[in-house]
């Protein structure tokens, strides 16, 4: 079975990604003995995803993928974007989401999109897979599921938030689901006999 290291400590991401990678043995950072925070100092999803994947590939000498993602709110000029994880100044989902709600108080355009960029380091080559999910930010939290900004994000075509929708539905339309499925297709082709 193919082995892949998932370069993240984010439990929300791990919960979502594992069921989408059937047939692949997914190793978490703790499985490879990596216990530090991985720096993500850049201003694009692509650069941060590469920084995370490359750091873990160098540590483990295995094939690795990293997801860098965030939510971009159009009425806030794309914020929080790449700093979604610590928009309030700390890594605190509730404080981050409340900051977005308060900044949107007098803003009419509440459309937004989630973006995920996956960087795969496979046999020392680098590949990228991207997914976007459009929707809007509602005025108050609804639902306890998901993570991050999910209780305030309603995807296009739905009336309920990602915090209310079952994980299988979220994965079928989410930014991360789209990016992961592209990577899965790539891995299937890669593992065909030559
Ligand atoms: P990073 O990729 O580690 O920089 O962090 C991504 C951050 O973006 C998360 O901590 C969340 O705040 C936000 N985010 C990304 N994807 C999702 C999602 O699917 N649901 C909710 N929040 C998300």
């Amino acid at each position: 079975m193919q082995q892949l290291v998932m370069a993240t400590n984010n439990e929300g991401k791990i919960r979502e990604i594992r069921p989408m990678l059937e047939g692949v043995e997914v190793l978490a950072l703790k499985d490879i003995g990596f216990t530090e925070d991985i720096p993500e100092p850049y201003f694009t999803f692509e650069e941060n995803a590469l920084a995370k994947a490359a750091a873990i590939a160098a540590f483990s000498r295995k094939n690795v993928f990293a997801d860098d993602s965030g939510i971009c709110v159009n009425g806030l000029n794309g914020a929080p974007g790449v700093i979604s994880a610590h928009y309030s100044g700390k890594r605190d989902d509730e404080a981050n989401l409340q900051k977005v709600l308060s900044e949107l108080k007098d803003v009419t355009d509440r459309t937004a999109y989630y973006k995920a960029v996956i960087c795969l380091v496979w046999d020392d080559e680098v590949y990228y897979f991207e997914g976007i999910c459009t929707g809007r930010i509602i005025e108050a939290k609804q639902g306890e599921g998901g993570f991050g900004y999910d209780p305030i994000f309603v995807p296009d075509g739905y009336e309920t938030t990602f915090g209310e929708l079952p994980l299988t539905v979220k994965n079928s339309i989410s930014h991360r689901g789209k990016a992961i499925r592209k990577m899965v297709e790539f891995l299937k082709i890669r593992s065909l006999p030559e």
Side-chain angles (χ1 to χ4, degrees):
M1 200 189 272
Q2 288 170 331
Q3 262 195 349
L4 259 186
V5 181
M6 181 165 41
T8 183
N9 282 315
N10 182 320
E11 285 300 327
K13 289 184 187 177
I14 294 172
R15 238 188 347 262
E16 289 182 9
I17 289 171
R18 271 197 190 278
M20 289 191 275
L21 284 177
E22 275 174 17
V24 177
E25 187 188 350
V26 180
L27 303 175
L29 290 179
K30 62 174 181 344
D31 300 325
I32 58 162
F34 189 92
T35 51
E36 296 152 42
D37 272 345
I38 319 171
E40 34 185 308
Y42 299 108
F43 292 101
T44 66
F45 294 114
E46 287 78 7
E47 286 170 297
N48 282 329
L50 173 61
K52 292 187 271 192
I56 299 306
F59 175 86
S60 66
R61 309 303 312 155
K62 291 181 185 293
N63 293 326
V64 174
F65 74 96
D67 157 308
D68 201 68
S69 49
I71 193 162
C72 305
V73 182
N74 293 318
L76 301 179
N77 298 316
V82 78
I83 59 162
S84 293
H86 47 90
Y87 191 44
S88 61
K90 37 189 180 162
R91 284 187 176 269
D92 178 335
D93 282 354
E94 180 64 23
N96 295 339
L97 157 171
Q98 290 301 339
K99 182 170 179 191
V100 166
L101 287 182
S102 107
E103 290 181 338
L104 278 176
K105 264 206 182 88
D106 300 316
V107 176
T108 43
D109 182 3
R110 302 181 73 98
T111 60
Y113 61 94
Y114 275 121
K115 179 171 172 177
V117 174
I118 290 182
C119 176
L120 171 69
V121 177
W122 182 269
D123 290 347
D124 294 326
E125 300 277 353
V126 175
Y127 305 89
Y128 292 94
F129 308 93
E130 186 185 305
I132 282 178
C133 177
T134 57
R136 65 192 160 87
I137 304 293
I138 55 168
E139 286 178 8
K141 283 168 64 178
Q142 278 178 210
E144 302 292 325
F147 68 100
Y149 300 86
D150 283 346
I152 58 169
F153 180 83
V154 173
D156 286 341
Y158 291 78
E159 293 304 325
T160 46
T161 68
F162 267 168
E164 297 168 292
L165 288 167
L167 178 59
T168 48
V169 176
K170 179 180 175 188
N171 277 350
S172 72
I173 58 172
S174 78
H175 50 312
R176 185 164 300 102
K178 289 173 184 165
I180 290 279
R181 280 190 291 279
K182 288 180 190 171
M183 182 175 79
V184 167
E185 281 312 305
F186 170 87
L187 291 173
K188 273 188 200 152
I189 293 165
R190 264 306 167 112
S191 55
L192 289 176
E194 295 194 353

